[in-house]
Amino acid sequence: MKELAGRLAAVDPDAGAAVSVIAYFDRLAETRAGLEALVRGAAVLAGCPARLVDEERRVRVRVEPDGRRKDSGGAPDPGWPCEPLVPGGPPALWLERAGSEGPSVVDAVILERASAAVRSVLDRTRGRAPASPVDDPALVETVLDADAPLSARLHAARRLGLDTGGPSVRVRAVAVADGPPRIVADGQSVPSAGRAGVGPAVAVADLPRSWAAARTALRFASDGRTQEPGPAVVHADELGGVALLAGLVVPGAEPAPDVRAVEAAATDAPWMLRTLHAIASTASLRAAAAEVSVHHSTLQDRLTHAEHLLGWSVRTPQGRFRLQLALTMRQLMRNQ
């Protein structure tokens, strides 16, 4: 298919692009991608926001062309290119592209292939067709979707093999960086080779709440490299009131002065971030020295240099707290 698309592109760019679109959505269908992944594919390929609205099944998904989900409650523009989920049905999938000449050839193919894939997922996960295997990502998405009816979420949960018997059954949602969402039993270890956020233990019916908390916790997780120290797996239960910071550090926000100070200090020496993190996360300077494997006197020298760059002392409780906040806000800004 890739070779065919390349040959066609040399003769007719639109035809080559259309074949590439078909191959793209075929791959998503083969991997049993969920609704958000399908709408994201439409947005990225079209280069404009894509929106899915199925009022009957209470589904609303909107994705920006950069791949970020950003739902909107506004009504779709009648002039946008659109496609129904079933022939003769109401429009359900839109490309938010203004224009009076109608959709281009590529836009039409994107809408047709995406809507067919979306229809298959909805029928599979919302009870209109035989359910799919227990590892179906679309079923997981449905269980975690706060806008999905409870009956649809419980139906999907049963197909995933989750016990929906009552509040005594506790499960957690897990958000994984660059990976699909997961659901684990309370007490089960979190299988992750990278950054992950773990939601609180809840009843199956409350998994959307656990999922929202898990996504927040993921923003506090570090990749664990020497230059970016910190825990790779963060539990929402352990954040407490610190989780409120995630609502303050949002995309486009201006970095706080202390965050800028930490960023500037980090460029001064390769040991800076790891040392500052040790100071902020251990009980004493001696413990911090052991954490970074240096002599106590070496740590003292490092601190003197760091304090000069930061502009405040990190040896007092107030200074350490200020450093903790600055490091946390820096992490949130890097994981937006």
Side-chain angles (χ1 to χ4, degrees), residues 137-164:
L139 284 174
V140 175
E141 180 187 84
T142 301
V143 171
L144 302 178
D145 186 356
D147 293 326
L150 177 60
S151 58
R153 287 191 276 118
L154 292 179
H155 169 81
R158 286 189 289 269
R159 296 304 303 161
L160 287 168
L162 299 176
D163 184 352
T164 60

Side-chain angles (χ1 to χ4, degrees), residues 42-310:
V44 171
L45 290 174
C48 67
R51 181 186 304 209
L52 169 66
V53 179
D54 185 339
E55 298 291 1
E56 180 182 352
R57 288 180 277 202
R58 293 167 56 187
V59 173
R60 284 181 172 270
V61 179
R62 181 181 178 276
V63 179
E64 296 281 351
D66 62 3
R68 291 184 300 113
R69 179 165 178 172
K70 189 176 181 181
D71 292 339
S72 172
D77 188 321
W80 291 340
C82 59
E83 184 79 8
L85 293 183
V86 294
L93 184 65
W94 286 265
L95 297 179
E96 298 183 10
R97 193 194 306 283
S100 57
E101 300 179 358
S104 66
V105 171
V106 176
D107 281 355
V109 174
I110 291 172
L111 286 167
E112 189 274 330
R113 301 302 290 189
S115 64
V118 165
R119 180 175 63 249
S120 175
V121 170
L122 285 172
D123 287 346
R124 201 168 71 237
T125 61
R126 307 289 168 119
R128 293 192 177 183
S132 48
V134 295
D135 59 349
D136 188 339
L139 284 174
V140 175
E141 180 187 84
T142 301
V143 171
L144 302 178
D145 186 356
D147 293 326
L150 177 60
S151 58
R153 287 191 276 118
L154 292 179
H155 169 81
R158 286 189 289 269
R159 296 304 303 161
L160 287 168
L162 299 176
D163 184 352
T164 60
S168 61
V169 178
R170 313 293 280 180
V171 289
R172 297 177 185 268
V174 180
V176 181
D178 303 319
R182 301 175 183 176
I183 300 170
V184 299
D186 185 21
Q188 180 182 344
S189 61
V190 179
S192 174
R195 295 173 48 241
V198 184
V202 297
V204 171
D206 290 331
L207 271 170
R209 176 169 64 84
S210 183
W211 172 237
R215 286 184 294 170
T216 296
L218 177 61
R219 293 186 58 197
F220 290 86
S222 170
D223 60 14
R225 294 177 300 169
T226 302
Q227 298 302 318
E228 294 297 333
V233 178
V234 174
H235 290 252
D237 291 336
E238 299 173 359
L239 288 174
V242 175
L244 296 175
L245 284 176
L248 301 177
V249 182
V250 296
E254 185 70 18
D258 284 357
V259 175
R260 292 198 296 268
V262 168
E263 286 284 11
T267 64
D268 182 79
W271 49 259
M272 184 65 71
L273 278 177
R274 186 163 175 246
T275 299
L276 291 178
H277 183 269
I279 291 296
S281 59
T282 56
S284 67
L285 294 185
R286 291 196 177 277
E291 176 74 17
V292 294
S293 302
V294 298
H295 192 271
H296 182 258
S297 61
T298 302
L299 182 71
Q300 294 284 359
D301 292 339
R302 287 186 177 186
L303 287 189
T304 299
H305 184 62
E307 289 169 337
H308 173 73
L309 295 173
L310 293 174

